Amino acid sequence: MKFRKQILGLASIGFAAAISMTGCGNEPTQTALLAGSTVIALGDSLTYGYGASTETAYPTVLAELSKWKVINSGVNGDTSADVLTRVHEITEQNPDLVLLGVGGNDVLQRIAPDTTRANIIATIDTLQSKNIDVVLIAEPHLSTSALFGKASDNPVYKDIAEAENIPLYSDGWSTILSDDALKSDRIHANAAGYRQFAEGLHGYLKEEGWVY
């Protein structure tokens, strides 16, 4: 009887260990940022809030939701090359996290995808070299055909996220820019669209463990 109890005890330990090993796969691996932490939203007009106002831009809404200090570093018309040229301005601010969303203007300007990929990777590498965490934000294909139908993410972002092993927030802008009620024009959100994007991003960041 004693031997049988020992076997059952060992089996229970093994079962618990298996649960521990398999059950933690979906647990957040990030350390949540405290209220007041500095987060920089780095990108183009979708970050800036074109089509609405800076008060309704997604960084402003995200700051309200997260209680972080979210700095809007979006510039209308910026390409991936433009963002790369000003990344050192970002590192000098020593943020706790950078939300990187750029590349839509590259498509509009017919910049080679390999060039876009290289610029975004160089931006990420520069940030990470200063121990700054990065979350990549996918932007849609802004081709002529996409403007009149359902937008979808440019696959370059998934490739970059996998290569750099960083989190990717996908489908956020593609969802917004597929809904006329959430757009100010064919390639920009309105105030309601920016708020919906911020709420979706906030939910993703919470799932990933960045937000308490």
Side-chain angles (χ1 to χ4, degrees):
M1 179 65 69
K2 183 177 180 182
F3 180 69
R4 183 171 179 271
K5 287 182 178 179
Q6 288 177 335
I7 292 177
L8 290 173
L10 290 172
S12 297
I13 292 172
F15 181 68
I19 292 175
S20 176
M21 291 176 65
T22 59
C24 64
N26 295 325
E27 291 296 317
T29 58
Q30 307 297 334
T31 300
L33 298 181
L34 298 174
S37 296
T38 299
V39 174
I40 295 181
L42 176 60
D44 49 30
S45 56
L46 289 174
T47 299
Y48 176 80
Y50 185 90
S53 68
T54 54
E55 289 74 24
T56 57
Y58 99 73
T60 303
V61 180
L62 181 62
E64 297 170 0
L65 297 171
S66 64
K67 309 306 179 186
W68 298 333
K69 176 185 177 184
V70 183
I71 299 171
N72 189 334
S73 192
V75 175
N76 292 331
D78 257 16
T79 64
S80 60
D82 294 323
V83 165
L84 178 58
T85 62
R86 59 190 180 93
V87 68
H88 292 292
E89 301 172 10
I90 305 302
T91 60
E92 289 173 359
Q93 299 177 64
N94 194 31
D96 298 293
L97 176 66
V98 168
L99 306 172
L100 177 62
V102 70
N105 289 312
D106 291 49
V107 176
L108 292 175
Q109 296 182 25
R110 300 183 182 277
I111 295 171
D114 286 346
T115 299
T116 300
R117 181 182 292 104
N119 289 336
I120 294 177
I121 287 176
T123 299
I124 293 168
D125 289 347
T126 301
L127 293 167
Q128 291 184 328
S129 72
K130 301 297 183 180
N131 296 315
I132 298 170
D133 290 318
V134 184
V135 171
L136 185 61
I137 296 173
E139 294 191 355
H141 283 297
L142 297 180
S143 61
T144 302
S145 59
L147 299 181
F148 296 95
K150 181 175 173 56
S152 60
D153 287 352
N154 189 331
V156 70
Y157 298 101
K158 184 177 179 181
D159 294 343
I160 293 170
E162 291 177 350
E164 295 292 285
N165 192 29
I166 63 170
L168 172 66
Y169 180 53
S170 58
D171 296 322
W173 288 127
S174 291
T175 298
I176 302 300
L177 298 179
S178 295
D179 187 343
D180 288 342
L182 299 174
K183 297 191 293 183
S184 61
D185 59 32
R186 289 174 178 170
I187 59 174
H188 296 103
N190 57 23
Y194 286 121
R195 174 163 288 277
Q196 181 168 310
F197 179 85
E199 291 172 348
L201 178 57
H202 179 258
Y204 171 78
L205 293 171
K206 191 169 186 177
E207 289 176 359
E208 289 293 303
W210 293 105
V211 181
Y212 280 106

